Amino acid sequence: MSIMQQSSKAQDRTLGVWFQNIQQGMVKLPRFQRFEAWDRGRIASFLNTIINNLPVGVTLALEVAGQEKFESRYIASSDPETPGTVTQHLLDGQQRLTAFWRSMHNNYEWETFFVYLPHFDRGESKSGSEVEIRCIPRWVNKHQLRMPRWAEEPAQCFKRGLLPVSLLRPGDISTEIDLWLNDATKPLEPADTDPDALAKYKAYTATRDKIKAEITTLRERVTHFNLPYLSLPADTSKDVALQVFINMNTNSKPLSLYDIIVAEVESVAEKSLHALEASLTDKCPTAGRYGNVSDLILSTSALLQEKLPNTRGMIEMDKKQLLANWPKLERGLERMASFLDGQRVFDEARLPTNAVLAVIAAAYELIPDHGDFLAKAEKLLRRYLWSAFFTDRYENTAASRAFADFKAIKALLKNPGFTDSELATVPALNRAEFPLANVDSLMAAGWPKAAGIEARAILAVSTYLGAIDFADHKPATYDSIQKREYHHVFPDALLSEAGIPSYLALNCALITWKTNRMIGRKDPLEYLQERVQWANEDVVRERLKSHLISYDLLSKAHYADLEGTAFKTKLTADFNEFLRDRASLVVAAMTSLTEGNSPALETLWVTHLATKTDNAEATA
């Protein structure tokens, strides 16, 4: 109660004093704080509040007397040359004070902030009538020059009625202001030989005095603007300070679960989870391809402590144990990313379900780096991965099901002599409870750009088998796949004309077009020929085969001379045959993958064509 009584009354503090305290290193941020997050719109809005002298909410500070309770960092870009004595930790208000400090130095990389003064705007047409903050986006051209160039030139800025916000910075910067004024008004200064030079010089001086007076007024407004704060006394315990921090942030802008756990780790272990995450990302940059690294850390850490990989399990985790498990976590996420890349699942956008990530990462705790058991263990993980992709195991209650699968996989890995007869103890591998997809279900799978598990699984099979690009004849890789697009094999315009749904996974190929022009009602091969760099038939066959697409079926799909019922009947029959044929190939690949094997493209096609021949002869 005494803490709340002491902190319930806000204390006034001007921005000039805040600025001086930050400049001298007296104000720091606890390391558990999130980094700056405001976009240019929020920054400009806050600066407009200041120059219009409108009220803002209070900040929250923890007084520091002697040793700091928390690991801390300076506000972005404010590291002092000679660190002073820290007197406060800023618990709430980071975004406002970071925006204030950085804009007062105009040191944002991709934006520069100005005050627009319409009465000084000498452009052909004024762009406003109110004094306001404006943000000018910046970029670097091919010559490594920061653009637009005029934003670096005082005279060009002044011509547009723009004054750099940095000239409003508290403190004695009179020399900086005079230098800017000299450059800004130089084009207005008359030459001694000008007619009426004296009158023009008086007008010039009046303009300088007017803009200097405007700067002085705005500087006074900024320096004396009140940003009040609540203060927790220095003897506030760490757990109380953290609870106040969590409550205040949750009540205003909700924290993520990760933010709260960062604070709790800081409290119980005096370690910076942000710093550990940055280190993990440096050591294993590929893990972030498959999802948010913060989420991967929490879900994997939960499983390593045999907790559910959901909110409840993550909150229940022992935070000291989380840190003790950190080497296992790093190794697991690194090997998980390597394992998925080996299965040619390249990124989050192509991942059928993210429920598998923590399971695989945590399982690597029990898998050696070398030896015979490594091959056996990773075969188990392949069975699990592809079974998760081609069953409805993770369509619902994914966290609890991932937990059950992990516990069963862990039990097998603890017994290196496990046999195939024990595989069904892993629910995802229990075919009686979770049967694999079949041809009919695959034919109904939707567009893989959406988040459907089965639809993305079909795409994953094609990338596993190479998915040679139609344009450059290169197999799929992480880098190349970023440039590819989801395109219809049977053109959407063709199918739509007959009222046939076109957005099906089996009608999708992930390839690069050489052109974006509209094709319209074209036959599939004609459509493809106009969209990619065409080659001879053998090369085209090879490219299509790597996507499990039959060249022969596409080559007979001709509709240019058909209309009405005849057109729809033939197109429907051809399209269904194409879908069923491709689905059969996917099922064959799926069957091999879910058994932990590595299917070969050529073998799949030889077997498939032989089966089709046998079936044709049997029905003849």
Side-chain angles (χ1 to χ4, degrees), residues 85 100 111 168 238 285 306 315 336 374 382 393 409 497-498 502 514 527:
T85 300
F100 170 62
E111 43 267 321
L168 309 186
K238 289 180 68 172
E306 297 201 345
I315 289 176
M336 174 273 292
L374 170 62
R382 284 197 298 276
R393 172 69 177 161
I409 290 172
E497 186 175 330
S502 67
K514 69 172 183 179
Y527 172 76

Side-chain angles (χ1 to χ4, degrees), residues 274-577:
H274 282 309
L276 288 171
E277 179 189 347
S279 175
L280 185 151
T281 301
D282 287 341
K283 292 177 182 177
C284 182
T286 54
R289 294 175 179 177
Y290 298 99
N292 183 281
V293 174
S294 302
D295 294 337
L296 292 175
I297 288 171
L298 295 185
S299 56
T300 305
S301 294
L303 288 181
L304 286 172
Q305 295 189 37
E306 297 201 345
K307 303 286 187 183
L308 282 166
N310 61 7
T311 300
R312 188 186 74 187
M314 294 169 190
I315 289 176
E316 289 176 353
M317 282 190 295
D318 182 316
K319 305 310 181 294
K320 287 187 177 180
Q321 189 59 43
L322 182 155
L323 295 174
N325 286 340
W326 198 264
K328 297 177 183 177
L329 174 72
E330 284 189 339
R331 177 177 178 271
L333 289 176
E334 182 175 12
R335 296 187 71 184
M336 174 273 292
S338 177
F339 175 78
L340 286 176
D341 188 71
Q343 298 302 295
R344 303 182 68 79
V345 179
F346 296 115
D347 58 14
E348 184 179 16
R350 260 63 62 166
L351 180 67
T353 172
N354 62 9
V356 301
L357 300 176
V359 174
I360 294 171
Y364 268 108
E365 176 190 7
L366 299 170
I367 300 175
D369 292 328
H370 309 285
D372 294 339
F373 187 59
L374 170 62
K376 183 176 183 179
E378 289 195 327
K379 183 173 183 178
L380 171 62
L381 292 185
R382 284 197 298 276
R383 290 178 185 264
Y384 164 70
L385 179 77
W386 290 99
S387 295
F389 291 173
F390 280 104
T391 66
D392 62 1
R393 172 69 177 161
Y394 290 126
E395 291 291 352
N396 299 292
T397 59
S400 60
R401 291 185 171 188
F403 182 58
D405 285 332
F406 171 71
K407 288 198 298 182
I409 290 172
K410 185 175 180 179
L412 291 179
L413 293 175
K414 283 184 173 180
N415 173 27
F418 73 84
T419 64
D420 285 358
S421 63
E422 299 174 80
L423 293 175
T425 59
V426 180
L429 305 185
N430 187 329
R431 298 292 177 249
E433 190 172 356
F434 296 102
L436 294 172
N438 56 33
V439 167
D440 291 330
S441 68
L442 294 181
M443 288 177 66
W447 200 242
K449 194 171 185 179
I453 295 176
E454 208 165 79
R456 288 192 176 184
I458 292 170
L459 193 70
V461 166
S462 71
T463 56
Y464 179 87
L465 294 169
I468 296 173
D469 194 13
F470 290 6
D472 61 19
H473 199 68
K474 293 180 180 178
T477 63
Y478 170 76
D479 291 327
S480 70
I481 213 95
Q482 309 308 314
K483 303 172 185 176
R484 298 197 190 185
E485 301 173 15
Y486 298 79
H487 285 284
H488 297 80
V489 180
F490 273 67
D492 175 56
L494 183 71
L495 293 171
S496 296
E497 186 175 330
I500 301 171
S502 67
Y503 282 86
L504 300 173
L506 289 168
N507 191 37
C508 179
L510 196 62
I511 54 180
T512 305
W513 289 143
K514 69 172 183 179
T515 173
N516 288 319
R517 68 177 182 273
M518 297 300 294
I519 296 300
R521 186 188 189 272
K522 298 283 186 179
D523 297 338
L525 279 183
E526 183 184 0
Y527 172 76
L528 292 172
Q529 185 173 5
E530 294 192 24
R531 298 299 294 270
V532 303
Q533 187 64 44
W534 208 241
N536 62 52
E537 181 180 319
D538 290 339
V539 173
V540 174
R541 281 182 179 274
E542 183 181 354
R543 292 174 183 174
L544 291 171
K545 280 174 64 176
S546 71
H547 294 263
L548 300 182
I549 294 172
S550 168
Y551 177 92
D552 292 331
L553 290 182
L554 295 189
S555 66
K556 72 174 189 178
H558 298 297
Y559 313 101
D561 299 327
L562 297 177
E563 295 181 354
T565 302
F567 163 66
K568 183 173 182 177
T569 300
K570 177 171 171 51
L571 178 57
T572 301
D574 288 349
F575 188 53
N576 284 336
E577 184 181 5

